[in-house]
Amino acid sequence: MDSVRYDGERRGNRVPIALKILIAGGFGAGKTTLVSALSEVRPLQTEEILTDAGIDTDDLSGVETKTTTTVAMDFGRITINDDLQLYLFGTPGQDRFWFLWDELAFGALGAVVLADTRRLADCFPSIDYFEQRGIPFVVGVNCFDDARRFSLEAVRRALDLDPDVPMVLCDARDRQSGKTVLISLVEHVARHRGEPVPTA
């Protein structure tokens, strides 16, 4: 309680504005990893161990070493300053958890769609979801160590993305790389809204 009182005094009893960002993508694309790398607090995770019961529904092609899956969401937080915080919500990647998406997406500023070039088709449901609802998004091509490298233009063509959708190469394990993806999203949202985009 003391820390809460102190924090309130330090901020002059101001409640920071919270902006919601979704981290989406296919099964095993790196969503939990990205939220964990970016969050300043210990992220909330709803990971469960993959079992034999999911053999018929969980396609592990390309991600054979994956042993867990998100069954609800991941949550992390980034404080920009005393007045602004980013809330990161990682979506579940499997079809059977799609019923959660509308709740997670409600009020979102925008989204990051993580693409795994080993399973690129897994991106299509996320891209379709955000396009149909008019939610601005960027695509972060997660560069897995064992994945074949493709140019961003080749991935753009494969995903049939509109020319104005930003794409960024990234490493979901690396905090600075993740920040670059978020900056790209914030700039894209500003352009989408017709607001000025700050320049460095």
Side-chain angles (χ1 to χ4, degrees), residues 78-120:
I78 302 172
T79 299
I80 305 301
N81 54 43
D82 284 351
D83 297 315
L84 180 63
Q85 293 181 339
L86 298 182
Y87 287 174
L88 308 175
F89 287 83
T91 64
Q94 294 156 289
D95 293 350
R96 64 180 181 274
F97 299 121
W98 272 88
F99 66 93
L100 297 168
W101 275 58
D102 286 342
E103 289 295 325
L104 290 175
F106 182 77
L109 176 75
V112 172
V113 176
L114 279 180
D116 177 356
T117 57
R118 301 169 301 180
R119 299 163 57 101
L120 203 54

Side-chain angles (χ1 to χ4, degrees), residues 45-162:
Q45 298 175 343
T46 57
E47 292 274 285
E48 293 293 339
I49 295 173
L50 291 168
T51 66
D52 291 343
I55 288 176
D56 293 332
T57 55
D58 297 327
D59 179 10
L60 295 178
S61 303
V63 289
E64 290 83 2
T65 60
K66 186 170 175 61
T67 59
T68 61
T69 187
T70 299
V71 297
M73 67 173 187
D74 301 310
F75 173 79
R77 187 188 74 202
I78 302 172
T79 299
I80 305 301
N81 54 43
D82 284 351
D83 297 315
L84 180 63
Q85 293 181 339
L86 298 182
Y87 287 174
L88 308 175
F89 287 83
T91 64
Q94 294 156 289
D95 293 350
R96 64 180 181 274
F97 299 121
W98 272 88
F99 66 93
L100 297 168
W101 275 58
D102 286 342
E103 289 295 325
L104 290 175
F106 182 77
L109 176 75
V112 172
V113 176
L114 279 180
D116 177 356
T117 57
R118 301 169 301 180
R119 299 163 57 101
L120 203 54
D122 289 359
C123 290
F124 286 118
S126 299
I127 291 170
D128 290 345
Y129 182 91
F130 297 127
E131 286 181 340
Q132 290 168 9
R133 287 158 181 80
I135 298 174
F137 68 94
V138 301
V139 173
V141 180
N142 194 6
C143 299
F144 287 90
D145 293 336
D146 60 344
R148 183 179 170 191
R149 298 292 192 263
F150 295 92
S151 70
L152 286 177
E153 192 51 43
V155 177
R156 180 183 295 280
R157 287 195 302 270
L159 294 176
D160 194 25
L161 289 175
D162 289 339

